[in-house]
Amino acid sequence: MDRSAAYQKAEQLREEIRRHDHLYYALDMPEIDDAEYDRLYRELVDLEEAFPEIVTPDSPTQRVGGAPLKSFGTVTHRAPLLSLGNAFDDGELVDFDRRVRQAIEDVEYVVEPKIDGLTIVLIYENGRFISGSTRGDGFTGEDITTNLKTIKEIPLRLRHEVPRLEVRGEAYMSRRAFQRLNQEREERGEPFFANPRNAAAGSLRQLDPQVTASRALQVFIYSILYQEDEPAGTQLDVLDRLEQLGFVVNPWRVHCKDIGMVVEACREGLDKRDHLPYEIDGMVVKVNSVDQQERLGSTSKSPRWAIAYKFPAEQAVTRVRDIITRVGRTGVLTPTAVLDPVRVAGSTVSRATLHNEDIVKQKDVRIGDQVVIHKAGDVIPEVVRSLTEKRTGGEVEFVMPSRCPECGSQVVRLEGEAAARCIGSACPAQLREGIIHFASRGAMNIEGLGPAVVAQLTAAGLIHSAADLYYLEAEQLVGLERMGQKSADNLIQAIDHSRENGLAKLLFALGIRFVGERVAKLLAEHYRSLERLQQADYEELKAVPEVGDKIAASIVAYLGDQANRELIERLKEAGVNTEQQVVARTSDSPLAGKTLVLTGTLASFTRKDAQEMIEQRGGRVSSSVSRQTDYVVAGEDPGSKLDKANSLGVAVLDEDQFKALLGR
Ligand code: IVH
């Protein structure tokens, strides 16, 4: 291939990859599976390696490029980036509306969720991303372009060319990503982030873009700060236009004809907040008409046409009854405060994590103390601080036990680590927690095998390792608490199905230190079989993308351990698939050769999981309904696709029927 042919091919691949990025990240409607995407990406990388001169700065391969920076440059914003005034109750919303209506008549509002993240500004020239910054003090911010480029949800090239465009949005971390990041940090004995917002800010203010790239950051874009284009007429038009340009825009926006509707939309926000995958700290109310916004203008700090309705803080005060330690799957002992039950943000809380010994000391939390607790983007609440001024003198300091509370083995704390660990190799807590992890969603995803069942199985001596799961029989399960014949059969079936998950899930499930879901997937893609991975040495492992010293050393240690080798052998004997390509039962599945469209929310799987399972069975997922569609799977709150299916007479499956076709 000559240079110009390579150039053309590369441009074509980039366009295709961009289109799939947009389908996946902005529209949540992927058309191809990960493997197919990876093939396209690989082809582009190979081409760019063969012809380095054809690489463009906006190529999808250039997301993680540069070497670590020495410091961030500064960027002066075109116009000061204002912040919002606050309303703390309905009355303050009504006051805001009164002020607005003193200046203009016939006002309509838009209410949007207020994402609890970090403000970012993105600048595009001729459709290409050229610079990104933080808000800073509103006048100047930090230049974090290289870090922002690593966020896949930020388009490097827009879907339509505009000579110049500047937009504002929020970078954030989902609750799930935050929880995972802190878990990893806990295992490594590193300090945690207090909440997803701090985690997002900390991740973006990294001098090494590789670190930012490893953190699952996301964005929502909500305003146009500057454009060389026809101005939009309303905020709703702005959001539509941003979407058309290829940005990720929050789909939740409520058009309100009057302040009564605004109050209602804000209350609805309060109800919904706990069910969102990310944190919001309020709702933003904006005058819809851009013309009216301009007429209202701004003070030096904030616009007069918008206000933030702030939710009440998710904090509560309660008493620490006791501080116990819980043993995790890696043997780490986590001090946990047992509390007088108290309501925080919609649920009753009776435990709160204290993370480790140092944090207990640093926060000076004692048994008997009154403490402030909050929920940090996490199901497990956290102690914020103790109210030392309320002490009576009877409070007792916490001491980390020297023996494991579950097995009595010695507890040690290695130098340089915050974590204290039980070193018992037969610790029942480690076994139990290890199996809970093995069965969890991102791992082997065994439905019905939650913490309560695992605790019973281990306590009854029915399983001594994850491999034992595959030798269980329904008769052994019947009689366990809340386990009838039907649930026992279902559980055995779920365990049986998990045999086919493939190497990526299995590797994550094994719980090798530092091998999270992503690294497991990269390893599986690289080695394709567990046998090949077992033969790899330290140096070879380090050649795998994103695998550094620590991960490589941990894998070598894990695979070198006799007990782990035996576990792997027994899993293999039990018929657990240790290859990456799932031995797909394509031809005998009723889904083989079929085209499916998914709509609405499914209770038992994410979109991605559902798609994966369909494809493993030889089916295809399409994003739109046509006469060629074989089935439409309709979950809760189905969209217009369901109407379309009905009008075309396409077969519609509910979740149970879908599960039946999957053989689950
Ligand atoms: S509009 C002129 N909309 O909340 C101010 N802000 O002080 C325009 N935020 O840090 C802001 N979600 O970054 C707007 N949907 C949303 C938002 C939002 C989060 C942030 C914003 C700022 C803070 C308000």
Side-chain angles (χ1 to χ4, degrees), residues 586-620:
T586 41
S587 51
D588 59 339
S589 164
L591 292 179
K594 300 282 193 245
T595 300
L596 285 85
V597 172
L598 305 170
T599 179
T601 315
L602 297 171
S604 357
F605 344 79
T606 63
R607 273 269 162 116
K608 227 167 131 222
D609 289 344
Q611 175 162 3
E612 213 169 84
M613 285 188 278
I614 292 167
E615 285 165 357
Q616 281 168 3
R617 288 158 181 77
R620 203 177 80 82

mmCIF file of all heavy atoms in Angstrom, residues 586-620:
data_model
loop_
_atom_site.group_PDB
_atom_site.id
_atom_site.type_symbol
_atom_site.label_atom_id
_atom_site.label_comp_id
_atom_site.label_asym_id
_atom_site.label_seq_id
_atom_site.Cartn_x
_atom_site.Cartn_y
_atom_site.Cartn_z
ATOM 1 N N THR A 586 -23.782 -21.449 18.909
ATOM 2 C CA THR A 586 -24.487 -20.594 17.974
ATOM 3 C C THR A 586 -25.576 -21.300 17.199
ATOM 4 O O THR A 586 -26.690 -20.818 17.112
ATOM 5 C CB THR A 586 -23.526 -19.935 16.983
ATOM 6 O OG1 THR A 586 -22.571 -20.896 16.610
ATOM 7 C CG2 THR A 586 -22.845 -18.744 17.586
ATOM 8 N N SER A 587 -25.219 -22.481 16.650
ATOM 9 C CA SER A 587 -26.170 -23.029 15.690
ATOM 10 C C SER A 587 -27.410 -23.617 16.359
ATOM 11 O O SER A 587 -28.487 -23.594 15.791
ATOM 12 C CB SER A 587 -25.484 -24.076 14.832
ATOM 13 O OG SER A 587 -24.844 -24.971 15.698
ATOM 14 N N ASP A 588 -27.258 -24.104 17.637
ATOM 15 C CA ASP A 588 -28.446 -24.702 18.228
ATOM 16 C C ASP A 588 -29.236 -23.709 19.075
ATOM 17 O O ASP A 588 -30.197 -24.071 19.728
ATOM 18 C CB ASP A 588 -28.092 -25.971 19.024
ATOM 19 C CG ASP A 588 -27.110 -25.674 20.135
ATOM 20 O OD1 ASP A 588 -26.432 -24.637 20.039
ATOM 21 O OD2 ASP A 588 -27.017 -26.473 21.073
ATOM 22 N N SER A 589 -28.838 -22.428 19.079
ATOM 23 C CA SER A 589 -29.619 -21.466 19.841
ATOM 24 C C SER A 589 -30.753 -20.936 18.978
ATOM 25 O O SER A 589 -30.574 -20.709 17.791
ATOM 26 C CB SER A 589 -28.731 -20.302 20.271
ATOM 27 O OG SER A 589 -29.549 -19.231 20.682
ATOM 28 N N PRO A 590 -31.928 -20.724 19.599
ATOM 29 C CA PRO A 590 -33.035 -20.163 18.800
ATOM 30 C C PRO A 590 -32.729 -18.739 18.334
ATOM 31 O O PRO A 590 -33.455 -18.204 17.507
ATOM 32 C CB PRO A 590 -34.213 -20.177 19.776
ATOM 33 C CG PRO A 590 -33.630 -20.349 21.133
ATOM 34 C CD PRO A 590 -32.312 -21.022 20.973
ATOM 35 N N LEU A 591 -31.663 -18.148 18.847
ATOM 36 C CA LEU A 591 -31.340 -16.783 18.431
ATOM 37 C C LEU A 591 -30.372 -16.741 17.255
ATOM 38 O O LEU A 591 -30.109 -15.673 16.705
ATOM 39 C CB LEU A 591 -30.749 -16.002 19.609
ATOM 40 C CG LEU A 591 -31.721 -15.714 20.747
ATOM 41 C CD1 LEU A 591 -31.026 -14.972 21.866
ATOM 42 C CD2 LEU A 591 -32.907 -14.903 20.243
ATOM 43 N N ALA A 592 -29.827 -17.927 16.888
ATOM 44 C CA ALA A 592 -28.850 -17.950 15.805
ATOM 45 C C ALA A 592 -29.448 -17.331 14.542
ATOM 46 O O ALA A 592 -30.554 -17.681 14.135
ATOM 47 C CB ALA A 592 -28.401 -19.382 15.548
ATOM 48 N N GLY A 593 -28.735 -16.387 13.976
ATOM 49 C CA GLY A 593 -29.159 -15.782 12.717
ATOM 50 C C GLY A 593 -30.283 -14.758 12.858
ATOM 51 O O GLY A 593 -30.748 -14.211 11.871
ATOM 52 N N LYS A 594 -30.715 -14.509 14.101
ATOM 53 C CA LYS A 594 -31.847 -13.591 14.282
ATOM 54 C C LYS A 594 -31.374 -12.160 14.563
ATOM 55 O O LYS A 594 -30.301 -11.948 15.114
ATOM 56 C CB LYS A 594 -32.703 -14.040 15.484
ATOM 57 C CG LYS A 594 -33.279 -15.433 15.323
ATOM 58 C CD LYS A 594 -34.475 -15.431 14.394
ATOM 59 C CE LYS A 594 -35.242 -16.725 14.458
ATOM 60 N NZ LYS A 594 -35.207 -17.493 13.206
ATOM 61 N N THR A 595 -32.220 -11.198 14.172
ATOM 62 C CA THR A 595 -31.924 -9.799 14.466
ATOM 63 C C THR A 595 -32.864 -9.304 15.553
ATOM 64 O O THR A 595 -34.076 -9.442 15.434
ATOM 65 C CB THR A 595 -32.112 -8.942 13.201
ATOM 66 O OG1 THR A 595 -31.211 -9.438 12.214
ATOM 67 C CG2 THR A 595 -31.789 -7.480 13.482
ATOM 68 N N LEU A 596 -32.268 -8.739 16.626
ATOM 69 C CA LEU A 596 -33.078 -8.274 17.756
ATOM 70 C C LEU A 596 -32.874 -6.780 17.977
ATOM 71 O O LEU A 596 -31.806 -6.250 17.692
ATOM 72 C CB LEU A 596 -32.682 -9.000 19.047
ATOM 73 C CG LEU A 596 -33.162 -10.444 19.164
ATOM 74 C CD1 LEU A 596 -32.182 -11.388 18.480
ATOM 75 C CD2 LEU A 596 -33.326 -10.842 20.612
ATOM 76 N N VAL A 597 -33.900 -6.148 18.488
ATOM 77 C CA VAL A 597 -33.784 -4.749 18.879
ATOM 78 C C VAL A 597 -34.178 -4.664 20.355
ATOM 79 O O VAL A 597 -35.163 -5.267 20.765
ATOM 80 C CB VAL A 597 -34.711 -3.853 18.029
ATOM 81 C CG1 VAL A 597 -34.731 -2.428 18.561
ATOM 82 C CG2 VAL A 597 -34.259 -3.858 16.574
ATOM 83 N N LEU A 598 -33.362 -3.939 21.144
ATOM 84 C CA LEU A 598 -33.648 -3.821 22.576
ATOM 85 C C LEU A 598 -34.252 -2.459 22.864
ATOM 86 O O LEU A 598 -33.790 -1.456 22.340
ATOM 87 C CB LEU A 598 -32.355 -3.961 23.381
ATOM 88 C CG LEU A 598 -31.550 -5.233 23.115
ATOM 89 C CD1 LEU A 598 -30.175 -5.151 23.768
ATOM 90 C CD2 LEU A 598 -32.298 -6.440 23.652
ATOM 91 N N THR A 599 -35.264 -2.431 23.707
ATOM 92 C CA THR A 599 -35.817 -1.135 24.111
ATOM 93 C C THR A 599 -36.263 -1.202 25.570
ATOM 94 O O THR A 599 -36.660 -2.265 26.052
ATOM 95 C CB THR A 599 -36.973 -0.688 23.182
ATOM 96 O OG1 THR A 599 -37.466 0.570 23.649
ATOM 97 C CG2 THR A 599 -38.121 -1.675 23.186
ATOM 98 N N GLY A 600 -36.147 -0.092 26.279
ATOM 99 C CA GLY A 600 -36.522 -0.065 27.692
ATOM 100 C C GLY A 600 -35.444 -0.681 28.565
ATOM 101 O O GLY A 600 -34.413 -1.126 28.073
ATOM 102 N N THR A 601 -35.724 -0.719 29.867
ATOM 103 C CA THR A 601 -34.727 -1.207 30.816
ATOM 104 C C THR A 601 -35.041 -2.638 31.204
ATOM 105 O O THR A 601 -36.163 -2.960 31.579
ATOM 106 C CB THR A 601 -34.789 -0.345 32.101
ATOM 107 O OG1 THR A 601 -34.858 1.015 31.703
ATOM 108 C CG2 THR A 601 -33.571 -0.574 32.961
ATOM 109 N N LEU A 602 -34.041 -3.500 31.132
ATOM 110 C CA LEU A 602 -34.215 -4.885 31.550
ATOM 111 C C LEU A 602 -33.769 -4.997 32.999
ATOM 112 O O LEU A 602 -32.800 -4.358 33.404
ATOM 113 C CB LEU A 602 -33.372 -5.801 30.668
ATOM 114 C CG LEU A 602 -33.775 -5.804 29.178
ATOM 115 C CD1 LEU A 602 -32.756 -6.550 28.345
ATOM 116 C CD2 LEU A 602 -35.157 -6.427 29.005
ATOM 117 N N ALA A 603 -34.499 -5.789 33.764
ATOM 118 C CA ALA A 603 -34.184 -5.863 35.197
ATOM 119 C C ALA A 603 -32.914 -6.657 35.453
ATOM 120 O O ALA A 603 -32.131 -6.321 36.322
ATOM 121 C CB ALA A 603 -35.355 -6.480 35.949
ATOM 122 N N SER A 604 -32.687 -7.735 34.677
ATOM 123 C CA SER A 604 -31.552 -8.595 35.030
ATOM 124 C C SER A 604 -30.280 -8.369 34.232
ATOM 125 O O SER A 604 -29.277 -8.976 34.556
ATOM 126 C CB SER A 604 -31.929 -10.066 34.955
ATOM 127 O OG SER A 604 -33.251 -10.257 34.643
ATOM 128 N N PHE A 605 -30.318 -7.558 33.178
ATOM 129 C CA PHE A 605 -29.047 -7.293 32.502
ATOM 130 C C PHE A 605 -28.931 -5.842 32.058
ATOM 131 O O PHE A 605 -29.928 -5.175 31.820
ATOM 132 C CB PHE A 605 -28.825 -8.101 31.215
ATOM 133 C CG PHE A 605 -29.697 -9.285 31.012
ATOM 134 C CD1 PHE A 605 -31.004 -9.162 30.565
ATOM 135 C CD2 PHE A 605 -29.175 -10.549 31.248
ATOM 136 C CE1 PHE A 605 -31.784 -10.283 30.361
ATOM 137 C CE2 PHE A 605 -29.947 -11.657 31.046
ATOM 138 C CZ PHE A 605 -31.245 -11.531 30.606
ATOM 139 N N THR A 606 -27.684 -5.424 31.871
ATOM 140 C CA THR A 606 -27.451 -4.134 31.245
ATOM 141 C C THR A 606 -27.608 -4.363 29.740
ATOM 142 O O THR A 606 -27.574 -5.499 29.275
ATOM 143 C CB THR A 606 -26.026 -3.619 31.489
ATOM 144 O OG1 THR A 606 -25.113 -4.539 30.874
ATOM 145 C CG2 THR A 606 -25.726 -3.527 32.969
ATOM 146 N N ARG A 607 -27.747 -3.273 29.007
ATOM 147 C CA ARG A 607 -27.814 -3.355 27.553
ATOM 148 C C ARG A 607 -26.645 -4.151 26.983
ATOM 149 O O ARG A 607 -26.783 -4.980 26.102
ATOM 150 C CB ARG A 607 -27.690 -1.943 26.974
ATOM 151 C CG ARG A 607 -28.956 -1.212 26.859
ATOM 152 C CD ARG A 607 -29.588 -1.438 25.507
ATOM 153 N NE ARG A 607 -30.976 -1.057 25.645
ATOM 154 C CZ ARG A 607 -31.519 -0.046 24.987
ATOM 155 N NH1 ARG A 607 -30.831 0.610 24.092
ATOM 156 N NH2 ARG A 607 -32.762 0.258 25.188
ATOM 157 N N LYS A 608 -25.463 -3.807 27.554
ATOM 158 C CA LYS A 608 -24.242 -4.398 27.012
ATOM 159 C C LYS A 608 -24.239 -5.910 27.233
ATOM 160 O O LYS A 608 -23.898 -6.679 26.339
ATOM 161 C CB LYS A 608 -23.036 -3.769 27.695
ATOM 162 C CG LYS A 608 -21.988 -3.364 26.703
ATOM 163 C CD LYS A 608 -20.947 -2.480 27.326
ATOM 164 C CE LYS A 608 -19.584 -3.001 26.973
ATOM 165 N NZ LYS A 608 -18.678 -2.965 28.096
ATOM 166 N N ASP A 609 -24.651 -6.323 28.444
ATOM 167 C CA ASP A 609 -24.674 -7.760 28.736
ATOM 168 C C ASP A 609 -25.653 -8.466 27.808
ATOM 169 O O ASP A 609 -25.373 -9.533 27.275
ATOM 170 C CB ASP A 609 -25.109 -8.010 30.183
ATOM 171 C CG ASP A 609 -24.039 -7.580 31.168
ATOM 172 O OD1 ASP A 609 -22.890 -7.386 30.725
ATOM 173 O OD2 ASP A 609 -24.365 -7.424 32.354
ATOM 174 N N ALA A 610 -26.828 -7.842 27.631
ATOM 175 C CA ALA A 610 -27.852 -8.463 26.793
ATOM 176 C C ALA A 610 -27.305 -8.637 25.377
ATOM 177 O O ALA A 610 -27.430 -9.699 24.763
ATOM 178 C CB ALA A 610 -29.115 -7.614 26.781
ATOM 179 N N GLN A 611 -26.665 -7.588 24.882
ATOM 180 C CA GLN A 611 -26.120 -7.653 23.535
ATOM 181 C C GLN A 611 -25.069 -8.763 23.422
ATOM 182 O O GLN A 611 -25.073 -9.564 22.489
ATOM 183 C CB GLN A 611 -25.499 -6.309 23.164
ATOM 184 C CG GLN A 611 -24.807 -6.360 21.801
ATOM 185 C CD GLN A 611 -24.567 -4.983 21.227
ATOM 186 O OE1 GLN A 611 -24.855 -3.979 21.848
ATOM 187 N NE2 GLN A 611 -24.042 -4.941 20.026
ATOM 188 N N GLU A 612 -24.205 -8.817 24.432
ATOM 189 C CA GLU A 612 -23.151 -9.818 24.425
ATOM 190 C C GLU A 612 -23.750 -11.223 24.351
ATOM 191 O O GLU A 612 -23.317 -12.060 23.570
ATOM 192 C CB GLU A 612 -22.361 -9.673 25.724
ATOM 193 C CG GLU A 612 -20.905 -10.002 25.603
ATOM 194 C CD GLU A 612 -20.185 -9.553 26.865
ATOM 195 O OE1 GLU A 612 -20.201 -10.322 27.846
ATOM 196 O OE2 GLU A 612 -19.641 -8.436 26.885
ATOM 197 N N MET A 613 -24.793 -11.446 25.153
ATOM 198 C CA MET A 613 -25.371 -12.785 25.199
ATOM 199 C C MET A 613 -26.064 -13.149 23.894
ATOM 200 O O MET A 613 -26.020 -14.294 23.461
ATOM 201 C CB MET A 613 -26.324 -12.883 26.382
ATOM 202 C CG MET A 613 -25.538 -12.994 27.657
ATOM 203 S SD MET A 613 -26.574 -13.346 29.050
ATOM 204 C CE MET A 613 -27.135 -11.748 29.424
ATOM 205 N N ILE A 614 -26.683 -12.162 23.272
ATOM 206 C CA ILE A 614 -27.327 -12.419 21.985
ATOM 207 C C ILE A 614 -26.268 -12.798 20.955
ATOM 208 O O ILE A 614 -26.394 -13.780 20.220
ATOM 209 C CB ILE A 614 -28.115 -11.174 21.515
ATOM 210 C CG1 ILE A 614 -29.308 -10.944 22.439
ATOM 211 C CG2 ILE A 614 -28.572 -11.340 20.068
ATOM 212 C CD1 ILE A 614 -29.973 -9.588 22.277
ATOM 213 N N GLU A 615 -25.182 -12.041 20.975
ATOM 214 C CA GLU A 615 -24.135 -12.303 19.987
ATOM 215 C C GLU A 615 -23.439 -13.634 20.216
ATOM 216 O O GLU A 615 -23.093 -14.332 19.265
ATOM 217 C CB GLU A 615 -23.139 -11.142 19.985
ATOM 218 C CG GLU A 615 -23.750 -9.943 19.285
ATOM 219 C CD GLU A 615 -23.011 -8.644 19.541
ATOM 220 O OE1 GLU A 615 -22.037 -8.653 20.323
ATOM 221 O OE2 GLU A 615 -23.404 -7.632 18.964
ATOM 222 N N GLN A 616 -23.280 -13.978 21.509
ATOM 223 C CA GLN A 616 -22.664 -15.279 21.797
ATOM 224 C C GLN A 616 -23.505 -16.408 21.224
ATOM 225 O O GLN A 616 -23.006 -17.491 20.947
ATOM 226 C CB GLN A 616 -22.555 -15.491 23.305
ATOM 227 C CG GLN A 616 -21.397 -14.750 23.922
ATOM 228 C CD GLN A 616 -21.516 -14.748 25.434
ATOM 229 O OE1 GLN A 616 -22.430 -15.353 26.011
ATOM 230 N NE2 GLN A 616 -20.601 -14.063 26.078
ATOM 231 N N ARG A 617 -24.792 -16.155 21.072
ATOM 232 C CA ARG A 617 -25.675 -17.203 20.573
ATOM 233 C C ARG A 617 -25.937 -17.061 19.078
ATOM 234 O O ARG A 617 -26.873 -17.633 18.550
ATOM 235 C CB ARG A 617 -26.987 -17.180 21.367
ATOM 236 C CG ARG A 617 -26.783 -17.715 22.780
ATOM 237 C CD ARG A 617 -27.831 -17.238 23.726
ATOM 238 N NE ARG A 617 -27.608 -17.751 25.084
ATOM 239 C CZ ARG A 617 -26.693 -17.280 25.933
ATOM 240 N NH1 ARG A 617 -25.901 -16.281 25.572
ATOM 241 N NH2 ARG A 617 -26.552 -17.806 27.132
ATOM 242 N N GLY A 618 -25.116 -16.243 18.441
ATOM 243 C CA GLY A 618 -25.204 -16.148 16.980
ATOM 244 C C GLY A 618 -26.223 -15.147 16.486
ATOM 245 O O GLY A 618 -26.523 -15.092 15.299
ATOM 246 N N GLY A 619 -26.800 -14.339 17.396
ATOM 247 C CA GLY A 619 -27.769 -13.328 16.972
ATOM 248 C C GLY A 619 -27.088 -11.989 16.751
ATOM 249 O O GLY A 619 -25.887 -11.848 16.960
ATOM 250 N N ARG A 620 -27.888 -11.022 16.321
ATOM 251 C CA ARG A 620 -27.357 -9.708 16.012
ATOM 252 C C ARG A 620 -28.262 -8.686 16.687
ATOM 253 O O ARG A 620 -29.477 -8.882 16.769
ATOM 254 C CB ARG A 620 -27.443 -9.525 14.493
ATOM 255 C CG ARG A 620 -26.502 -8.532 13.901
ATOM 256 C CD ARG A 620 -26.670 -8.541 12.382
ATOM 257 N NE ARG A 620 -27.846 -7.756 11.989
ATOM 258 C CZ ARG A 620 -27.837 -6.427 11.875
ATOM 259 N NH1 ARG A 620 -26.750 -5.746 12.090
ATOM 260 N NH2 ARG A 620 -28.920 -5.782 11.523
#
